[in-house]
Amino acid sequence: MKLTKTFKAFFKNEKSGGIILLFVTLLSLFLANSSFQVPYVAFWEKDNIAGHSITHWINDGLMTIFFLLIGLELEREIYHGELSNIKNASLPIMAAFGGMLVPAAIFLALNYGTTTQNGAGIPMATDIAFAIGILSLLGNRVPASLKVFLTALAVIDDLGAIIVIAIFYTTSISFLNLGIALGIWCLLFVLNRMKIHNLIPYLIGGVIMWYFMLNSGVHATITGVILAFVIPFGDGGEKTSSYRLQHFLHQPVAFFILPLFAVANTALPITENWHEGLSHVNTYGIILGLVVGKPLGILLFSSVGVTSGLCILPKNLKWTHILGAGMLGGIGFTMSIFITVLAFKNPEIIVFSKIAILIASFLAGLMGFVYLKYTLSKK
């Protein structure tokens, strides 16, 4: 399988970004539990910018740019990538469905009817940067088909997480503000159809749309995804608006926005009773959902898809590869933490949930790496 120039660039940035994410996460946890704990945690949590904390602005503001990049990558996959051919797309789509439904089912089986049932979306997510970063550590032994499968799976998974956020984590809606936001989107769509390729009106319109979406009750980061689909794509070449913006955003997102998100959201003081949260059904649901549910769901739904004839297994992609990719899919981190903040209001539950995500992501990454290293070495 021949990899495109765009895919190689994407894979390289995500690989480097995953390594940086790991470093800044460990650094943030260290600072939050050192002699700098009080000023460090207060820096992120204090409401000192327009009545909101720095963490809030990162989660609701800067992460919109991350979702814009996800939208642009998804659009490219649909038009020119792995998702452009229904036979190629069907396998990662089926795998992604399994990787979302089974973890959510495991979580709900343990938490239904409790105060934490709203966290069912937490184990549904996959962190692209971490998953690809760990896969890259295996070097040239990784077949191209596995790289493409995991990337497509993670992108579809993120789309699913975005839909879950839009539907299930919207508490109250201001239809006036939502209508204005969607009206701006329609105006930008008209500019697209008029073949106006200058990015400035789209970016200005996107900022205004973000403001009204922020005040609509629908999570503001959704703006990034829907904005991506009105940016002119053209033939997808290097001179198109979509390509230029996607290419420009790769490094700021991978090396600034996601690390900043990780630092802000892992400023977790580990108290003496932190282990008490490990015995909670919410923690069980998150860890089992990510570590067990992800690989089980991805492998099961992929198997059903291929057996039923809905999907085809690409050349050089084996079932052992799919299981390994499923294990790496259990690295929730960025999206799981993001959904945690939306799902819960209780600070203690949020902290315990983040600790569960860190534990699950570590276990999933370690299992996936060891398993794939062993199976790929037997080629």
Side-chain angles (χ1 to χ4, degrees):
M1 178 180 289
K2 186 178 180 181
L3 299 180
T4 64
K5 180 180 178 182
T6 303
F7 180 84
K8 288 179 179 178
F10 170 78
F11 193 86
K12 182 178 179 181
N13 278 331
E14 294 297 333
K15 174 181 68 176
S16 305
I19 296 171
I20 291 175
L21 273 180
L22 177 60
F23 173 76
V24 299
T25 298
L26 294 175
L27 177 62
S28 182
L29 287 170
F30 170 76
L31 291 174
N33 293 278
S34 69
S35 57
F36 301 103
Q37 179 186 105
V38 174
Y40 180 70
V41 174
F43 173 79
W44 298 109
E45 295 182 351
K46 187 178 179 181
D47 295 339
N48 51 7
I49 302 178
H52 294 289
S53 66
I54 294 176
T55 300
H56 173 87
W57 286 113
I58 292 170
N59 292 351
D60 282 27
L62 285 181
M63 286 298 284
T64 304
I65 301 174
F66 164 72
F67 281 99
L68 171 59
L69 179 60
I70 291 295
L72 291 170
E73 288 163 351
L74 179 64
E75 182 183 38
R76 183 163 297 277
E77 285 291 321
I78 291 172
Y79 285 121
H80 287 303
E82 183 72 5
L83 305 181
S84 61
N85 183 308
I86 188 62
K87 287 187 176 181
N88 293 335
S90 56
L91 184 61
I93 289 174
M94 282 291 291
F97 272 119
M100 289 185 284
L101 294 177
V102 174
I106 290 175
F107 185 93
L108 283 175
L110 295 169
N111 289 268
Y112 186 76
T114 71
T115 56
T116 54
Q117 69 174 11
N118 203 35
I122 296 172
M124 295 173 67
T126 295
D127 190 293
I128 297 180
F130 265 131
I132 292 178
I134 291 179
L135 187 65
S136 69
L137 296 177
L138 296 168
N140 295 329
R141 72 183 75 182
V142 180
S145 56
L146 177 55
K147 295 178 183 178
V148 172
F149 174 78
L150 180 59
T151 303
L153 166 68
V155 170
I156 297 167
D157 195 294
D158 274 351
L159 175 63
I162 291 164
I163 294 172
V164 167
I165 290 169
I167 296 175
F168 297 103
Y169 295 104
T170 297
T171 51
S172 60
I173 297 178
S174 166
F175 288 100
L176 175 61
N177 286 314
L178 181 60
I180 294 173
L182 294 179
I184 295 170
W185 185 87
C186 290
L187 177 62
L188 296 178
F189 178 77
V190 171
L191 295 181
N192 179 301
R193 305 314 296 173
M194 292 173 62
K195 301 187 184 302
I196 296 177
H197 297 287
N198 191 315
L199 280 169
I200 293 177
Y202 296 98
L203 297 179
I204 293 175
V207 172
I208 299 173
M209 183 167 59
W210 172 84
Y211 172 80
F212 285 102
M213 193 70 80
L214 179 68
N215 291 283
S216 72
V218 177
H219 203 270
T221 52
I222 303 299
T223 306
V225 180
I226 63 176
L227 176 62
F229 283 87
V230 294
I231 302 237
F233 186 82
D235 62 0
E238 295 184 9
K239 294 183 178 180
T240 60
S241 303
S242 178
Y243 179 92
R244 287 188 289 113
L245 182 59
Q246 181 182 351
H247 183 72
F248 173 81
L249 290 178
H250 265 310
Q251 293 190 354
V253 168
F255 302 124
F256 176 69
I257 292 175
L258 287 182
L260 193 59
F261 171 86
V263 169
N265 286 277
T266 56
L268 301 174
I270 308 298
T271 60
E272 292 181 358
N273 66 335
W274 69 272
H275 56 279
E276 293 178 5
L278 297 180
S279 61
H280 196 280
V281 287
N282 174 59
T283 302
Y284 293 153
I286 292 173
I287 294 178
L288 290 176
L290 287 172
V291 177
V292 178
K294 272 289 183 180
L296 178 62
I298 288 170
L299 184 62
L300 178 63
F301 274 59
S302 296
S303 178
V304 170
V306 172
T307 303
S308 64
L310 293 174
C311 313
I312 58 172
L313 194 65
K315 186 179 180 181
N316 297 326
L317 187 65
K318 301 177 182 178
W319 289 111
T320 52
H321 298 157
I322 291 178
L323 178 58
M327 291 178 182
L328 293 181
I331 306 173
F333 198 72
T334 302
M335 290 301 294
S336 292
I337 290 176
F338 190 83
I339 294 174
T340 295
V341 177
L342 299 178
F344 303 127
K345 301 301 179 186
N346 186 318
E348 187 175 55
I349 293 178
I350 291 175
V351 169
F352 288 152
S353 297
K354 287 182 178 181
I355 291 174
I357 292 167
L358 292 175
I359 293 172
S361 296
F362 172 77
L363 291 175
L366 181 63
M367 288 168 53
F369 176 78
V370 172
Y371 176 79
L372 284 173
K373 185 176 181 179
Y374 173 74
T375 55
L376 291 173
S377 65
K378 295 177 67 176
K379 292 196 303 179

